Amino acid sequence: MASKRKLLLLSTSTVFGSEYLQYAKTEIDSFFKRNNVAKILFIPFALRNHDEYARKVKDALSVWGYEVKSIHESSSYVEEVNNAQAFFIGGGNTFLLLKTLYDHSLIEPIRKRVLHDGIPYMGSSAGTNVATISICTTNDMPIVHVPSLNALALVPFNVNPHYMDPTPGSKHMGETRETRINQYHEIPGMPPVVGLREGSILEVIGDKVKLLGDLSGRVFIEGELTKEYPADSDLSFLLNKTN
């Protein structure tokens, strides 16, 4: 049976010179309208000030015609997940986000709604990280202890949002993002990783994965040479890649 998943995974919420989510307006609007979404459940757990974060998201998406409710405003988080038309999990600290999802027993309910009920899911930065197998390839600092590094596993690969290339002429001698990801793959059996540059988006519809935006993406697979894929590439092979 074909997968029901519908995901829009953003590298970031804001790019230089643009307002919050504005750079991805076309993709976001198309994604939700194609799936008949009018109401979005926002999950603000990647930052501590939930009221302020929710207000920012509501201000941005209400202008586009969407009704946004933040899960923290409810007395029953699981009930909100079970009744949601769509999810948006925003960026911030990935460890704090994942810990809070575990604290409120939301991992399995969200996973069920997305994979079995076909509820659309949008993530940005940390929200993209938790959509993958684990948060092992986040750039964030572990400011809290998480029960597990395992995340929602809505896709069978990992993402490195905000992927950065080495700066030409730089005298920095520390590890690059590419070096760090290759070190991750020194452990046998680790899943593929997509280096998602700022402004890039992964759209996952059923068994199809497409790289959206203007920039290329970098794909790391254990035991294989790293490959660069241009914008609009079909990356569906990642859904079937096993080590």
Side-chain angles (χ1 to χ4, degrees):
M1 185 174 65
S3 171
K4 295 181 178 180
R5 64 187 151 209
K6 302 163 188 166
L7 313 177
L8 197 68
L9 304 178
L10 283 62
S11 57
T12 184
S13 59
T14 310
V15 298
F16 181 78
S18 177
E19 297 297 320
Y20 184 76
L21 295 177
Q22 191 64 39
Y23 81 94
K25 181 181 186 301
T26 299
E27 291 81 4
I28 293 170
D29 208 29
S30 172
F31 176 69
F32 285 132
K33 281 186 167 55
R34 277 183 283 130
N35 290 293
N36 301 311
V37 171
K39 300 178 181 179
I40 300 169
L41 181 65
F42 176 58
I43 299 178
F45 296 152
L47 295 177
R48 291 296 297 275
N49 192 328
H50 297 162
D51 289 335
E52 181 179 321
Y53 201 179
R55 192 178 309 115
K56 183 177 185 177
V57 173
K58 290 178 182 181
D59 288 348
L61 294 180
S62 64
V63 175
W64 302 351
Y66 298 100
E67 180 182 335
V68 178
K69 180 175 183 179
S70 181
I71 195 171
H72 84 283
E73 300 165 345
S74 173
S75 59
S76 175
Y77 291 179
V78 173
E79 183 177 344
E80 289 296 336
V81 166
N82 289 337
N83 292 327
Q85 274 191 17
F87 300 112
F88 172 36
I89 301 188
N93 185 274
T94 307
F95 291 89
L96 178 62
L97 168 58
L98 187 60
K99 179 183 185 300
T100 312
L101 291 176
Y102 273 112
D103 287 348
H104 293 289
S105 302
L106 293 177
I107 297 293
E108 288 306 316
I110 293 174
R111 180 175 165 79
K112 178 181 180 297
R113 292 286 280 150
V114 175
L115 295 184
H116 297 283
D117 299 342
I119 299 302
Y121 176 104
M122 182 171 81
S124 173
S125 188
T128 289
N129 273 319
V130 298
T132 66
I133 289 182
S134 75
I135 64 168
C136 291
T137 56
T138 179
N139 303 312
D140 295 338
M141 294 184 178
I143 61 174
V144 293
H145 291 283
V146 290
S148 170
L149 295 172
N150 294 331
L152 293 167
L154 304 179
V155 290
F157 56 85
N158 276 0
V159 173
N160 177 243
H162 314 287
Y163 181 82
M164 294 179 64
D165 299 289
T167 304
S170 172
K171 296 180 180 179
H172 174 68
M173 297 298 292
E175 289 88 347
T176 63
R177 292 281 170 82
E178 181 161 358
T179 302
R180 291 294 194 194
I181 296 171
N182 285 331
Q183 289 171 347
Y184 171 67
H185 279 150
E186 289 181 1
I187 304 300
M190 292 296 101
V193 180
V194 179
L196 208 57
R197 296 181 173 92
E198 296 294 71
S200 294
I201 302 167
L202 288 179
E203 182 184 69
V204 185
I205 305 297
D207 296 321
K208 299 293 183 182
V209 182
K210 189 173 183 181
L211 177 65
L212 306 181
D214 298 327
L215 301 177
S216 60
R218 203 147 175 80
V219 175
F220 301 80
I221 296 174
E222 180 196 346
E224 298 184 15
L225 292 176
T226 302
K227 295 181 181 178
E228 195 79 17
Y229 289 86
D232 294 325
S233 286
D234 184 342
L235 303 181
S236 303
F237 65 89
L238 291 170
L239 298 177
N240 301 312
K241 193 73 180 178
T242 57
N243 292 314

